[in-house]
């Protein structure tokens, strides 16, 4: 199910940049493509810190 959704939402960044109305659109595409990854890294780090602090307090 997940792979079907990801295939439907596949985005060609180079195509979007070619069709960009101006250079500021390019920056938005770049930020928009990195934002999900950065968000996942921040969430993973927060979970790691939470579990590390909880383990230290249990000892």
């Amino acid at each position: 199910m997940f792979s079907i959704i990801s295939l439907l939402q596949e985005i060609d960044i180079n195509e979007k940049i070619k069709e960009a109305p101006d250079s500021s659109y390019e920056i938005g595409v770049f930020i928009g493509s990195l934002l999900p990854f950065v968000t996942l890294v921040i969430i993973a780090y927060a979970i790691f810190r939470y579990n590390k602090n909880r383990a230290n307090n249990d000892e």
Side-chain angles (χ1 to χ4, degrees):
M1 176 76 178
F2 179 72
S3 62
I4 294 172
I5 293 172
S6 66
L7 288 175
L8 292 174
Q9 294 180 345
E10 188 175 321
I11 299 170
D12 186 18
I13 294 174
N14 291 330
E15 187 69 28
K16 283 190 163 218
I17 290 173
K18 285 179 190 175
E19 296 174 0
D22 57 4
S23 63
S24 63
Y25 186 82
E26 219 174 292
I27 295 169
V29 169
F30 178 72
I31 292 171
S33 64
L34 286 181
L35 195 59
F37 300 112
V38 172
T39 304
L40 287 175
V41 168
I42 290 171
I43 291 170
Y45 181 73
I47 292 171
F48 168 76
R49 291 283 297 189
Y50 172 76
N51 287 328
K52 183 178 176 185
N53 288 337
R54 195 178 78 178
N56 287 338
N57 289 338
D58 288 344
E59 291 178 357

